Amino acid sequence: MGARPLTADGDGRFDSAVVTLADGRELAIRVGDDDETSRELAAEALALRALTAGARAMLPFRAPEYVGETRLADGRALVTELLPGFQIEAAHVPRGRGAASSVGASIAAVHSLPASVVRGAGLTARSAEEVRAEIRRLVDRAAATGRVPARLTVRWREAVEDDDLWRFESAVTLGGAKATSFVFEDDPERGPEVVGVVDWHALSIGDPAVDLAWLSSAPDAAGDVHASYAESSDRAPDAALAVRARMLAELEFARWLVHGEVLRRTDIVDDAAALLEALADGLRENDLSVIAARGEGVDSALDALDRVPETAAAGIDTSMHTDAYNPSDLLPEEIADAPAGDATEDLSDVAAAWGEDSGPSTGSGTESSESSFAEPVEAAKTEPSDDSDPADEAQRAARAALHRWTNSSSE
């Protein structure tokens, strides 16, 4: 038996390690040492346990198996199966058969799961009207800061009030998939194929568009992912799916702005305002429904979403579930200052305990997920360090993306 650190570039939110048991099995263990990360691990545990053998049999890929939970020092430890494979950043997902078509089919499979998977576990369920109301509140709250360009406020409010956009059937969703939610293996004939999906902590019932919003940062693959999704889905056609997905992508900037307001961080607020200005400048029409899927300068501006942290109560985490998984596209909601410690040896003991046949205690794990566009939560428990600002990297990357868009804009 041995242990090693997870080798992917983490975000510092969890102490993480991979443990190899005597029988050759590999387990991933993550420890959250504050309230927020502990809640995320509890939600992840609850979601993975909700995926019964019957539900997993309906999926064309693997989801990590829940192994157990315990307390380690002052934190919650979650042990799961390690999913081997590799990850592809959004901008590099290729078009055509292979990765793009496999991703579309995988998302459709999640959305085809029976609602009882979520309801039976007591997870969050929202109707189309409830989703719409939450987005309306987010738009109003962002507008109240006075830092959202009027053009965007009008655009989003008109979209919220457009009944045609909200006639959708709620579905089981990951609650906000991203490119790094998919673990691939390379098939010599078909190319990269999804063999595993991670990021289950926001499992819920809601708008299917939430799992397609990340495609605004995948211009090459977006069309083929949508086409594969439509072909693989057994649900009624949703003509407004791509439009809502695009709107959710744009609203990430609004959520970043509100997050800065909640934390009273003028640097975040100023950065978000600059992103929103650039987004507004790239739009040729206020009407969301007439914006082309690609070719409008705004899509390059949306590349900056790869560095915009989640700000909802249960935003998309960047926790690692596979040794080859590289979740570097989002920074933590709490903008944590200290890197994770080297806890490999301690975590090895915990994972080994869960590898015994006697089985683990399930722990409480009762927190339910929020939607990825819920109202932002109160300020983080941990105050930012005076010595350094971990958001600087995010801001620099966002501005670099916007600089590229400005120089290439056709306007």
Side-chain angles (χ1 to χ4, degrees):
M1 183 176 129
R4 69 182 189 275
L6 263 69
T7 57
D9 293 330
D11 60 13
R13 302 183 70 194
F14 301 98
D15 286 335
S16 307
V18 177
V19 175
T20 303
L21 303 181
D23 60 4
R25 287 184 298 158
E26 289 193 316
L27 304 179
I29 178 168
R30 289 168 292 144
V31 178
D33 57 6
D34 59 29
D35 291 344
E36 181 62 26
T37 53
S38 292
R39 280 194 295 269
E40 286 193 14
L41 292 180
E44 179 91 3
L46 187 59
L48 292 179
R49 282 182 287 156
L51 295 175
T52 62
R56 290 171 183 267
M58 299 176 65
L59 300 173
F61 52 77
R62 294 172 62 196
E65 289 283 354
Y66 168 86
V67 177
E69 297 169 84
T70 189
R71 303 294 299 183
L72 184 63
D74 294 329
R76 175 192 293 268
L78 173 64
V79 184
T80 63
E81 172 194 22
L82 180 72
L83 295 185
F86 63 90
Q87 166 266 338
I88 305 175
E89 295 292 337
H92 302 298
V93 179
R95 69 182 68 201
R97 71 173 189 172
S101 59
S102 183
V103 166
S106 297
I107 296 173
V110 174
H111 293 180
S112 295
L113 287 172
S116 58
V117 171
V118 169
R119 297 187 188 279
L123 298 171
T124 301
R126 289 179 173 83
S127 66
E129 195 53 41
E130 288 171 330
V131 169
R132 184 182 190 180
E134 288 182 351
I135 293 178
R136 182 183 286 112
R137 289 194 295 270
L138 174 58
V139 171
D140 289 344
R141 190 166 182 182
T145 68
R147 302 298 298 272
V148 180
R151 188 177 194 184
L152 288 178
T153 301
V154 170
R155 169 184 172 85
W156 294 336
R157 282 179 170 162
E158 288 184 348
V160 169
E161 299 307 322
D162 184 352
D163 292 339
D164 290 338
L165 293 184
W166 307 101
R167 294 191 176 101
F168 67 84
E169 177 187 359
S170 292
V172 174
T173 72
L174 290 170
K178 55 185 183 291
T180 49
S181 298
F182 305 97
V183 179
F184 297 87
E185 286 185 359
D186 196 27
D187 184 279
E189 295 183 359
R190 295 184 294 271
E193 291 196 331
V194 175
V195 295
V197 171
V198 295
D199 291 337
W200 291 89
H201 73 273
L203 183 68
S204 58
I205 295 174
D207 186 356
V210 72
D211 286 339
L212 295 160
W214 65 275
L215 291 171
S216 287
S217 296
D220 290 341
D224 289 321
V225 173
H226 276 288
S228 176
Y229 174 86
E231 182 180 355
S232 304
S233 178
D234 59 3
R235 299 162 52 78
D238 180 355
L241 179 68
V243 176
R244 292 196 315 278
R246 172 56 176 272
M247 181 183 186
L248 291 176
E250 294 181 13
L251 285 172
E252 289 301 304
F253 293 111
R255 295 176 59 224
W256 181 223
L257 173 67
V258 173
H259 183 58
E261 283 279 310
V262 169
L263 293 181
R264 301 183 186 276
R265 290 279 301 275
T266 57
D267 57 332
I268 295 177
V269 171
D270 290 343
D271 185 61
L275 294 172
L276 288 165
E277 287 286 351
L279 182 64
D281 288 344
L283 302 179
R284 292 178 182 159
E285 298 288 345
N286 282 332
D287 181 2
L288 191 70
S289 65
V290 302
I291 300 300
R294 293 185 297 278
E296 306 278 354
V298 65
D299 286 289
S300 294
L302 282 169
D303 289 343
L305 285 176
D306 288 343
R307 293 288 184 245
V308 175
E310 285 296 324
T311 58
I316 308 168
D317 81 332
T318 54
S319 50
M320 298 170 288
H321 301 67
T322 170
D323 195 32
Y325 180 55
N326 182 22
S328 61
D329 62 334
L330 294 175
L331 287 176
E333 175 184 347
E334 312 304 329
I335 317 178
D337 295 305
D342 184 2
T344 301
E345 294 184 2
D346 292 339
L347 302 184
S348 173
D349 295 336
V350 175
W354 291 124
E356 300 298 327
D357 293 337
S358 58
S361 167
T362 59
S364 58
T366 58
E367 294 85 350
S368 63
S369 303
E370 300 286 344
S371 77
S372 69
F373 38 83
E375 281 198 88
V377 295
E378 294 302 315
K381 301 293 183 183
T382 303
E383 291 297 325
S385 168
D386 293 333
D387 297 330
S388 63
D389 182 2
D392 284 346
E393 180 183 352
Q395 295 166 9
R396 285 194 297 271
R399 290 195 175 93
L402 290 171
H403 179 69
R404 292 194 300 272
W405 166 77
T406 302
N407 290 340
S408 62
S409 175
S410 60
E411 297 246 299

